[in-house]
Amino acid sequence: MTTVTPWTARARRTSRPRPLRRRFTPGRIAAWALLAVITLVTLLPFYWILRTALSSNSGLAASPGDPLPVDPTAGGFERALGLQSTEEAVAQGGAGGGLRFWRYLLNSVVVSTLVTVCQIFFSAMAAYAFARLRWRGRDKVFALFLGGLMVPAVFTLLPNFVLIKELGLVDTLLGIALPTMFMTPFAVFFLRQFFMNIPREVEEAALLDGAGKVRIFFRVLLPMAATPVLTLAVLTYITSWNDYFWPLMVSYGDSSRVLTVALAVFRAQTPQTGTDWSGLMAATLIAALPMLALFGFFARRIVSSIGFTGIK
Amino acid sequence: MTIASSSPPSPLPSVGAAGIATTSRTDRPRADGSRGDGRLAAVFVAPALLGFVVFLLWPTLRGVYLSFTRFNLLTPAQWVGIDNYVRMVHDPIFWNSLRVTVEYVVINIGVQTVSALAIAVLLQRLTQSAVLRGIVLTPYLMSNVVAGIVWLWILDTQLGIGNEILVALGVGRVPFLADETWAIPTIALINVWRHVGYTALLLFAGLQAIPGDMYEAAKVDGASEWRMFWRITMPLLRPVLAVVLIMTVIGSFQVFDTVAVTTRGGPADATNVLQYYIYGAAFARFQFGYASAMSVALLVVLGAITFVQYRLTRADRTDLG
């Protein structure tokens, strides 16, 4: 349990509902106990990943309930990173096939970065045009974009696959990135909201100083939108990083395999009799680590503005 | 793609509860018909519009078209009329998939909504701690694949800690993912674990928009926490809750990843959810036409649910006035 008390000076200054009462009533204690249980259920699997990853497979079989790593070894991590020879891996309960971890990590980074940077940039440009520029047909085109929000992602997956295949982009990183690289209706919608709420005067002042609209967008409005853009970017990155279905459809080999798909392959490869749990948990930990780090870095900002972004 | 409500102290734009933008502060195109910033706008909108048309609009139309064809990717699509739909109606596995998917959605949404609401209210009424909110969100950072594998291990019949605890409690071992009865509820709960924090934060944002003095006033009147929850929190949160609910239902109908890494549709089709069946039809049996027809069915189901839910919850009207 963390030691954050609800009675800090900061909490008192806000206009938000103040925590009930200082006294520890039975109701309050029960509520805190419930929150403690929720926190425990949330976090315990993370500890269990670590504990299993540091155990040896034979040790796990011997004492499955031991709260500490059994027979501690780095073997799981070595297998996950493809550092062990086949004989060594098999001897420790792993599969023979190597996992080209760094390759998959690189693929994931490339795809997620490409998607996030391009999607946010193009969406911001469109959002600006929808919010701040005057042009004929603007509201009609925007309504079309809004309609796109209603189409569930699952529906466009098959036709998009056919399209990517026709474009000859199956099994390429570009093929994985392309469908979400230009925009999502949500990103456009979300950023348009922000641009509309920036006071007009800001823009007019810059216009008086002789700046063009392009310049205003890049030098004035985009920097002002730094916070929503950042939140959107981090959540887009996480979503893209965690995506499994679409990359699974498009990628067949090592050259385009991203971490989520690689992980599922690694799981499928581990021996049916006596799964390589230690190796699997090490692999899942390594696969999740970049997102945990990213979140750790931006956590406060994301957590306080998540209500506005809501990307599923 | 979920939208929730606003909180006063944030620098971010406020979004209407129903997710529809207010146009009050936009500049309407000039009435005199002048072209305004037409050329510049064309350049700015072009990339997004290209992506929209090529990867969203066109695939949507094409998906509908493909559902009326026989298509295996290798030879051109061949028009077969409503054959795929006739086949679908007579396909017991399709109906089973639909049933299993609905079972998953009901359990997933039921547990997730109640838990998320509880977490959001606890966070609001006990503490405003950003650390706690961060902790609640951590499972969301994992992919479904990772979450699936981790819980596969925790719930493993022989070696999983979950079963060790059950044995210690004297309950005995439960083959969570290998049993036809338990498999779907288990998968539903795994996804609750991953998504509940995110949903809770969306609801928490909605709660922040409720004026604090309403609780103060109620407390002065001697109202209990329980009463305040039903008389203040629930009515005022309803519009946000409705939007969040619609979005999570749409999301959970698309369950695939967790099934793919844990049970792969088994045992005996017990977890062969619609999305998994569609994937199999397309990529294992190369029946793209049939898979498209089932996608259309899924689209129709989702559309109908959204519509009904929207009307039932009156998501378009807010009690805050």
Side-chain angles (χ1 to χ4, degrees), chain A residues 219-286:
Chain A
R219 290 296 173 82
V220 183
L221 294 184
L222 210 51
M224 283 181 80
T227 302
V229 163
L230 187 77
T231 305
L232 193 64
V234 173
L235 288 172
T236 306
Y237 206 89
I238 291 173
T239 308
S240 171
W241 185 276
N242 286 340
D243 197 12
Y244 174 64
F245 198 3
W246 175 249
L248 178 70
M249 279 173 149
V250 176
S251 125
Y252 295 113
D254 277 354
S255 62
S256 69
R257 188 167 285 163
V258 294
L259 264 184
T260 44
V261 179
L263 207 55
V265 170
F266 188 66
R267 137 115 183 94
Q269 276 175 354
T270 100
Q272 285 299 314
T273 48
T275 311
D276 176 13
W277 287 117
S278 140
L280 256 178
M281 288 304 116
T284 54
L285 188 62
I286 302 170

Side-chain angles (χ1 to χ4, degrees), chain A residues 6 16 20 41 52 134 138 152 154 159-160 166 189 192-193 196 200 228 242 245 267 305 310-312, chain B residues 1-2 12 14 19 21-22 27 37 55 59 62 125-126 140-141 153 193 198 208 225 254 261 275 279 299:
Chain A
R16 289 166 184 176
L20 306 182
V41 173
T52 308
R134 299 191 189 93
R138 183 186 68 182
V154 41
N160 263 334
E166 284 166 354
F189 167 76
R192 173 178 172 269
Q193 284 288 324
M196 285 201 321
R200 244 205 111 68
N242 286 340
F245 198 3
R267 137 115 183 94
S305 56
I311 302 160
K312 265 274 159 197
Chain B
M1 302 187 305
T2 324
L12 288 171
S14 68
T22 48
D27 316 285
D37 310 307
F55 294 106
R62 198 178 194 187
R125 302 298 289 150
L126 287 179
Y140 185 71
L141 308 173
W153 162 232
W193 177 77
Y198 192 83
Q208 295 295 86
E225 268 302 311
Q254 305 178 31
V261 294
Q275 181 92 295
Y279 176 79
L299 183 68

Side-chain angles (χ1 to χ4, degrees), chain B residues 254-272:
Chain B
Q254 305 178 31
V255 55
F256 174 83
D257 307 356
T258 320
V259 171
V261 294
T262 55
T263 61
R264 295 177 206 144
D269 281 333
T271 60
N272 194 354

Side-chain angles (χ1 to χ4, degrees), chain B residues 129 181 246 270:
Chain B
S129 162
T181 321
I246 291 172

